Amino acid sequence: MFTKLWYNKKRERRWKIMNNNLMIERLKKSGLHFDSGLSDIEIKKIESTFGFRFPKEIASFLSCAYPVGCDFFDYRDISQKNIDKFYDFQKNIVKAFEFDIANNADSLQAMLKELLGEFTDTEDFKKAVMKSLESSPKLIPFYAHRCFFDGMDNMPIISFWQAVDTIIYGYDFEDYLKAEFLTATNDITSEEISDNIIEKLKTTGIWYYIIE
């Protein structure tokens, strides 16, 4: 775990709250478009409809302005079609794990050995993985395949393609926004990760073991 991270220790700030309005202006200049922010009533409606809780820093950001565009998941749309799209995303995470169990079992077993132990039977391994995934925090889509952890404040933002291709894309929400939209070239990879981030990730169940 933690061998390839979109992270640099020098970027880490402690106990600093992002200036939402300043960040939004910077993002607008980079080409992003925004609608009016979500009201408290809208946030509660979204959370009850889709069955998750926004981290407080993301809720705060979205209350100031709401990013729009084809790659942003539109939580303002509470139509059944969009609800189905959200749950399809969750189903696709499960399918991605199933794919790696079938096609990348050695790599996935190596990642999860500390958590689950060793397996010789593929079905037993699959059952153990699915049980662990079910009890771990959900990944909630924000932009394309970038996700935040359900109901967990001030956590890293995760890029999820498949189980064996899961990385940190920002050590917190502000760092993610900079890396995704404001950094012309990626120069923030590192072989290191701070103890602070490790301790946070230890609370994420199976994700702690598969994040590279």
Side-chain angles (χ1 to χ4, degrees):
M1 66 188 75
F2 309 131
T3 56
K4 297 178 181 178
L5 293 174
W6 294 65
Y7 174 83
N8 187 315
K9 278 189 174 184
K10 294 180 180 179
R11 296 169 66 99
E12 185 169 357
R13 308 170 313 283
R14 295 181 184 273
W15 314 112
K16 181 179 178 182
I17 299 175
M18 178 173 69
N19 184 319
N20 288 324
N21 292 325
L22 178 60
M23 175 59 74
I24 289 163
E25 288 306 310
R26 293 181 66 188
L27 293 172
K28 286 180 178 178
K29 290 179 181 178
S30 77
L32 292 191
H33 300 282
F34 291 85
D35 283 342
S36 59
L38 299 175
S39 67
D40 289 344
I41 293 175
E42 283 182 298
I43 289 174
K44 290 178 181 178
K45 180 65 174 179
I46 289 167
E47 292 178 336
S48 64
T49 299
F50 291 95
F52 71 87
R53 180 179 72 79
F54 284 114
K56 61 183 181 182
E57 69 278 10
I58 296 180
S60 176
F61 177 83
L62 295 177
S63 70
C64 294
Y66 185 76
V68 293
C70 60
D71 286 328
F72 286 101
F73 195 95
D74 185 8
Y75 289 104
R76 230 173 200 151
D77 179 0
I78 58 174
S79 67
Q80 188 58 52
K81 182 178 179 180
N82 202 46
I83 294 171
D84 291 342
K85 180 181 177 181
F86 174 84
Y87 284 106
D88 283 344
F89 183 90
Q90 300 301 322
K91 291 175 184 177
N92 287 336
I93 290 177
V94 174
K95 290 178 181 178
F97 272 86
E98 292 175 339
F99 176 86
D100 282 332
I101 291 168
N103 297 279
N104 299 301
D106 289 345
S107 296
L108 191 58
Q109 285 209 41
M111 290 175 170
L112 296 176
K113 181 179 178 180
E114 181 182 345
L115 175 66
L116 302 177
E118 296 186 23
F119 290 84
T120 56
D121 183 82
T122 301
E123 271 307 307
D124 288 342
F125 179 55
K126 180 178 178 179
K127 289 177 182 177
V129 171
M130 292 302 145
K131 182 178 180 180
S132 181
L133 179 61
E134 186 177 354
S135 64
S136 299
K138 289 186 295 187
L139 289 186
I140 307 301
F142 178 75
Y143 177 83
H145 52 276
R146 319 294 193 225
C147 307
F148 55 85
F149 288 107
D150 175 14
M152 303 182 74
D153 303 329
N154 301 312
M155 293 292 288
I157 301 298
I158 303 302
S159 178
F160 179 86
W161 277 107
Q162 60 192 84
V164 298
D165 188 5
T166 306
I167 64 172
I168 292 175
Y169 217 86
Y171 74 84
D172 64 11
F173 187 56
E174 180 177 1
D175 189 61
Y176 159 70
L177 292 174
K178 291 178 179 178
E180 186 77 77
F181 303 110
L182 300 177
T183 303
T185 58
N186 173 32
D187 59 357
I188 59 172
T189 57
S190 173
E191 295 296 317
E192 300 182 1
I193 185 168
S194 75
D195 291 341
N196 181 44
I197 302 302
I198 289 175
E199 289 305 310
K200 287 183 176 182
L201 290 172
K202 283 181 179 179
T203 65
T204 62
I206 198 171
W207 302 111
Y208 171 69
Y209 297 90
I210 68 168
I211 291 172
E212 293 194 287

